[in-house]
Amino acid sequence: QVQLVESGGGSAQRGGSLTLSCAASAYIGVFGWFRKAPGKEREAVAAVYPFGTPFYADSVKGRFTISRDDAKNTAYLEMNSLEPEDTAMYYCAAELTGGTWRDETRFRYWGQGTQVTVSS
């Protein structure tokens, strides 16, 4: 069983930045980040494949950057130009079992979540 521990959430003003971290207890092939806002479905935000290949949801493209440090078994989500609409609980997911990274049911492991709140 792989453990995922997220950190880095908090509060920011519109236009501000936050960086989330997801530390895994073992090597991970594909990391994903998802978010769930109150009253909304959980949505895919970004994923990073081996060798650092990134994928993004259209809503965050150009503002968020996902990366990984395999020496630390850690993935990062750098969030810039934050908007109030980015307010959500952010979850790290790991080990895609096939299919698309946008499908949360395809990830085997999940972190506990970290809250991001963006005020206007």
Side-chain angles (χ1 to χ4, degrees):
Q1 185 78 5
V2 173
Q3 307 296 320
L4 302 176
V5 179
E6 299 120 326
S7 60
S11 299
Q13 298 278 349
R14 180 196 297 268
S17 300
L18 287 170
T19 297
L20 307 182
S21 299
C22 174
S25 58
Y27 173 79
I28 296 297
V30 179
F31 281 99
W33 284 98
F34 289 75
R35 67 185 181 186
K36 186 180 187 313
K40 295 186 177 181
E41 297 288 319
R42 187 155 61 181
E43 63 174 347
V45 175
V48 61
Y49 280 61
F51 307 109
T53 305
F55 295 89
Y56 299 99
D58 288 345
S59 59
V60 306
K61 201 171 294 184
R63 300 188 299 123
F64 290 11
T65 301
I66 190 170
S67 61
R68 61 190 296 152
D69 183 342
D70 289 339
K72 298 180 179 179
N73 294 330
T74 298
Y76 304 94
L77 185 69
E78 180 183 350
M79 305 183 294
N80 298 312
S81 302
L82 284 164
E83 297 287 342
E85 293 73 25
D86 296 316
T87 295
M89 183 72 79
Y90 283 70
Y91 297 91
C92 177
E95 289 303 20
L96 190 64
T97 58
T100 172
W101 66 272
R102 299 176 189 273
D103 182 353
E104 63 178 90
T105 68
R106 307 303 296 184
F107 282 91
R108 181 170 296 165
Y109 305 112
W110 289 85
Q112 78 285 356
T114 186
Q115 179 68 38
V116 171
T117 302
V118 184
S119 60
S120 56

